[in-house]
Amino acid sequence: MKSLKDVLKTTLTTRGASLQRTDNSCVVPSGFPTLDKVTGGLEKSSLTVIASRPSMGKTAFVLSLANNLTMKFDIPTLFISIEMNDTQLTNRYISLVARIDLLKIKAGNLDDETKQQLKLGIGKVRKNRLFFQTEMTDLSEIMNECREFKKKL
């Protein structure tokens, strides 16, 4: 247990150092300027949890966020889902990157132009550093996986 007085000393020291820094090395942009304006960006080495009611667009939003982090900023990203398996997430991600309706991809009836668009999307996806973990439900397992992921980088 720490007193507020002790934590305040550390916080003010850290905050003072960050105010003198000009490179924003503690902050990662999300790729969503409005979100960054409200939150100040994502803090490096933080676990960010996105939660809401069902069918509110969590997966679509976080896949877009992960895409920004991996493609625009070349930041390795671990995407943990307790709702979808890795194949479902991969299909949704390819759909996002290729800009093709997921239902069209699932149905498989794509014209030549859309097939080419899909191939280009898959090529982009192969190059990034996005990792999926879909086999965990326990918070301690999730935290452990995050630590292991960080060590591998």
Side-chain angles (χ1 to χ4, degrees), residues 1-3 6-7:
M1 177 171 36
K2 294 181 181 178
S3 72
D6 293 337
V7 175

Side-chain angles (χ1 to χ4, degrees), residues 23-95:
D23 63 354
N24 270 345
S25 61
C26 293
V27 178
V28 177
S30 69
F32 294 97
T34 304
L35 178 64
D36 290 341
K37 189 175 181 179
V38 172
T39 63
L42 304 171
E43 286 190 43
K44 284 187 179 177
S45 71
S46 288
L47 172 65
T48 304
V49 177
I50 307 296
S52 75
R53 297 187 327 246
S55 299
M56 298 301 293
K58 295 179 297 288
T59 302
F61 167 67
V62 178
L63 281 174
S64 293
L65 178 63
N67 186 58
N68 290 341
L69 294 173
T70 59
M71 299 283 241
K72 288 183 181 178
F73 306 115
D74 193 33
I75 297 169
T77 303
L78 176 60
F79 185 113
I80 299 173
S81 176
I82 60 173
E83 295 178 344
M84 296 182 141
N85 66 41
D86 52 359
T87 302
Q88 291 170 310
L89 289 170
T90 301
N91 283 331
R92 289 195 63 174
Y93 187 58
I94 290 169
S95 170

